[in-house]
Amino acid sequence: MSLPPCPHCQSAFVYQDQQLMICPECAHEWDPLESDEEELIQVKDANGTLLAEGDKVTLAKDLKVKGSSHGLKIGTKALIRRIFDSKDHQLDCRVDGAGEILITAKFVKKA
């Protein structure tokens, strides 16, 4: 039996627990029999362009990294891994040369 990929992170490592489908990578749980579509999170960059998971972005300004002595320079490239419905840090990004960092969407531009 082939299971559908996770609707949030598109992971193929989904397993079934009674009636629910569970993704071990992003911890999303859903019932495949329910047809009500979830409200998608809409996040906009510094220019007002909608961002989606998997988009490549560049930093629109220099940013200080909390807990680190170095910062991120303007123009640094990043890849959006996940989008959160959060007030301050909406993007979970993989930043070139810095690893994985949470970034506020208003400080990036879609590449």
Side-chain angles (χ1 to χ4, degrees), residues 8-29:
H8 278 202
C9 67
Q10 302 303 318
S11 171
F13 302 110
V14 173
Y15 63 92
Q16 187 170 2
D17 185 17
Q18 296 184 12
Q19 292 185 5
L20 291 178
M21 304 298 281
I22 301 172
C23 176
E25 291 187 11
C26 71
H28 177 64
E29 298 179 4

Side-chain angles (χ1 to χ4, degrees), residues 17-98:
D17 185 17
Q18 296 184 12
Q19 292 185 5
L20 291 178
M21 304 298 281
I22 301 172
C23 176
E25 291 187 11
C26 71
H28 177 64
E29 298 179 4
W30 74 99
D31 186 354
L33 301 177
E34 290 183 11
S35 63
D36 53 303
E37 296 178 18
E38 293 183 23
E39 185 177 315
L40 294 176
I41 301 168
Q42 293 188 348
V43 177
K44 296 182 180 180
D45 68 359
N47 294 330
T49 307
L50 284 176
L51 297 173
E53 293 176 2
D55 283 348
K56 293 182 181 179
V57 294
T58 58
L59 296 181
K61 66 178 269 183
D62 291 343
L63 298 175
K64 293 180 182 177
V65 178
K66 209 178 231 187
S68 177
S69 60
H70 75 282
L72 299 174
K73 299 289 184 186
I74 187 170
T76 302
K77 296 178 184 177
L79 176 69
I80 299 174
R81 294 189 56 221
R82 275 187 251 160
I83 297 178
F84 299 109
D85 188 18
S86 176
K87 191 174 189 177
D88 50 355
H89 296 87
Q90 297 96 6
L91 306 175
D92 179 13
C93 296
R94 179 175 291 136
V95 180
D96 291 349

